[in-house]
Amino acid sequence: MDRFLRIYSILFILIVIFVATGCSKQKTGELKVFQENPANCESTSHKTRYVVKKKDGSIVRVYAKSRKEMLEKYVRPKLEELEIVESDQIIYANDLIIPNDGEITPNAQETWGAERIQASAAWNSGIKGQGVIVAVIDSGVELTHPSLSSKIYINIAEQNGARNVDDDGNGLIDDVRGWDFAVESPTNHDTSGHGTHVAGVIAGSHTSGPMKGIAPDVKILPLDFMDGASGYTSDAIESINYAKKMGARVINASWGSSFCSKILEDTINLLALDNVLFVAAAGNNGNDISRYPEFPAAFQSSAQITVGAITKLGFMPSFSNWGQLVDVMAPGDQILSSYLQGDYMYLSGTSMAAPFVSGLAALLVGKNPNLTVGQLKSIILNSVTKRNYIVKTEGEINVPQALTVLNNL
């Protein structure tokens, strides 16, 4: 009997390796994970990298020359220790580049997103996200950008510590200003401009540049897991766990893919225990993600809010994903924000919508640091302006209404 159970366990893990792992049932029913078309995931899987979750909760990346080698040299010898084994998959940034139209100058057009959600209602009351750490898990952040240089989180223990020593005992050496998980280095550069743009929407200076961040007093924790505009699931998972360890209350995730990682889902679910809100971009395929899911957007975690995009006039652009697995809408079309080499750029996409929600979340936590993630999520979802969008709340985020709900707690 024991031999039969052991063989059954091996076959189960083989299935997990060879087929994209299905995720748990969602509140709206079990998600479709494209298992009828393995090539959809196979085309984005790395041939030598695997993500492993052990029964003790630890997560590791394993390299093997082939799946056969992975099974024979790693899975079988450690079978009793393992919970999930997945192929490492590529994740993509969720943005669309819109070329600049002439010289960028400060005017109302550049701040339409902040104006639409009425962010000044918080600013005028002195609520700007003070004391809140927001992790931007992305392509990195240009640390010297004039709109962001004073907004970057500094790890004081490492800054004042010895070189080449893990002074704070968090497992990384010299991680003064975030970390690059793609190359395992404290050197944090933005190679595509995507992460810098996202960070500017959240925290861009109100005194330097032609745009204003939603929560200008937060500290941005820049975590790079991408090479250009794409990265791997395993590095995203490491970034999430590091952000939690370093005290981030909000994580912005403007990326996704069609691959459903159960380990990534479990990682996001665990954020609720530390009152960390995970804000995900809905994706840019113009689909109902209840039928054609993208991840992490389609996860239904108590710690997650998924965000679609709207235009200046309040319409949903054709690129934005939608459906009952999307929670709210936010500005995401022709958004001006910080970019490479100290410049500014218009970008469109749900990547740009997500940081508006991250900024709002930071404003609320700055006002009341004792909020649980459940309260924070509830405030944002229950304070929308209803517009009949085909999303869970039917509405777009609204700062003064969110502050009112917060004050009435």
Side-chain angles (χ1 to χ4, degrees):
M1 185 66 175
D2 289 343
R3 182 181 180 186
F4 172 79
L5 289 174
R6 186 174 180 83
I7 293 173
Y8 178 83
S9 298
I10 292 174
L11 288 174
F12 173 76
I13 291 181
L14 270 171
I15 291 171
V16 174
I17 292 177
F18 277 88
V19 182
T21 303
C23 293
S24 62
K25 289 188 177 182
Q26 313 301 312
K27 294 178 181 178
T28 54
E30 186 173 2
L31 294 178
K32 179 181 179 185
V33 193
F34 299 103
Q35 290 187 345
E36 75 281 5
N37 181 17
N40 186 71
C41 288
E42 180 68 20
S43 63
T44 61
S45 64
H46 197 285
K47 306 304 181 187
T48 63
R49 292 169 53 135
Y50 299 86
V51 192
V52 177
K53 182 179 180 182
K54 297 183 178 181
K55 290 179 181 178
D56 64 5
S58 61
I59 298 171
V60 296
R61 185 190 304 111
V62 177
Y63 293 88
K65 293 180 181 179
S66 66
R67 292 180 175 183
K68 180 180 179 181
E69 179 181 282
M70 176 68 179
L71 175 66
E72 293 179 350
K73 293 188 176 182
Y74 185 85
V75 174
R76 283 176 175 159
K78 298 178 179 290
L79 187 62
E80 303 302 325
E81 304 174 22
L82 308 182
E83 181 178 336
I84 304 172
V85 178
E86 299 174 338
S87 295
D88 212 351
Q89 299 283 325
I90 297 175
I91 296 173
Y92 299 94
N94 282 323
D95 73 310
L96 306 166
I97 294 179
I98 305 296
N100 291 344
D101 183 15
E103 184 180 358
I104 298 173
T105 57
N107 57 53
Q109 172 66 29
E110 320 314 342
T111 59
W112 78 262
E115 292 171 0
R116 184 169 182 90
I117 69 171
Q118 302 175 64
S120 61
W123 307 337
N124 294 340
S125 299
I127 302 169
K128 299 181 180 180
Q130 299 92 329
V132 181
I133 299 172
V134 179
V136 173
I137 298 178
D138 213 285
S139 63
V141 174
E142 186 171 276
L143 304 180
T144 59
H145 195 287
S147 282
L148 295 172
S149 59
S150 64
K151 316 293 182 178
I152 305 301
Y153 170 81
I154 304 296
N155 185 348
I156 300 299
E158 291 290 345
Q159 184 182 54
N160 296 337
R163 291 287 303 274
N164 300 317
V165 174
D166 180 11
D167 298 285
D168 59 357
N170 68 1
L172 299 181
I173 296 173
D174 296 339
D175 52 319
V176 177
R177 298 186 176 188
W179 191 261
D180 185 339
F181 286 93
V183 297
E184 296 296 338
S185 168
T187 303
N188 198 313
H189 296 301
D190 188 355
T191 54
S192 72
H194 188 266
T196 299
H197 196 279
V198 166
V201 174
I202 297 169
S205 172
H206 286 199
T207 60
S208 174
M211 40 72 66
K212 295 181 178 180
I214 303 305
D217 285 354
V218 305
K219 292 301 181 181
I220 295 293
L221 175 58
L223 301 177
D224 185 356
F225 83 102
M226 294 184 179
D227 180 8
S230 64
Y232 284 100
T233 302
S234 60
D235 295 325
I237 290 168
E238 284 190 319
S239 299
I240 293 169
N241 286 330
Y242 176 85
K244 179 173 66 174
K245 185 184 298 183
M246 299 306 289
R249 288 296 306 274
V250 181
I251 293 174
N252 192 91
S254 290
W255 37 265
S257 77
S258 62
F259 175 70
C260 179
S261 165
K262 186 65 173 66
I263 300 177
L264 177 59
E265 182 186 34
D266 289 348
T267 301
I268 295 169
N269 286 337
L270 287 172
L271 292 174
L273 299 178
D274 292 275
N275 288 318
V276 181
L277 182 67
F278 186 85
V279 181
N284 300 330
N285 291 322
N287 288 331
D288 175 358
I289 61 171
S290 301
R291 297 184 60 197
Y292 304 103
E294 292 187 33
F295 303 96
F299 292 145
Q300 295 294 280
S301 170
S302 62
Q304 177 172 323
I305 291 178
T306 298
V307 189
I310 55 173
T311 69
K312 183 180 181 182
L313 297 178
F315 299 112
M316 187 183 76
S318 60
F319 62 77
S320 180
N321 284 346
W322 51 279
Q324 291 303 304
L325 298 186
V326 177
D327 293 300
V328 293
M329 306 297 272
D333 182 53
Q334 298 191 53
I335 303 299
L336 182 68
S337 186
S338 44
Y339 204 66
L340 299 181
Q341 299 181 343
D343 203 352
Y344 298 85
M345 175 73 79
Y346 290 98
L347 294 181
S348 294
T350 57
S351 274
M352 286 61 254
F356 278 91
V357 175
S358 295
L360 170 56
L363 293 175
L364 297 171
V365 174
K367 173 69 172 174
N368 184 352
N370 296 319
L371 287 174
T372 68
V373 73
Q375 290 173 319
L376 181 57
K377 180 174 178 177
S378 177
I379 291 168
I380 294 172
L381 300 191
N382 289 314
S383 62
V384 300
T385 301
K386 297 282 187 175
R387 303 288 189 194
N388 294 319
Y389 300 123
I390 308 176
V391 298
K392 185 178 295 183
T393 63
E394 301 182 0
E396 61 180 290
I397 60 171
N398 182 300
V399 172
Q401 291 178 186
L403 292 174
T404 297
V405 175
L406 173 63
N407 291 333
N408 290 334
L409 281 182

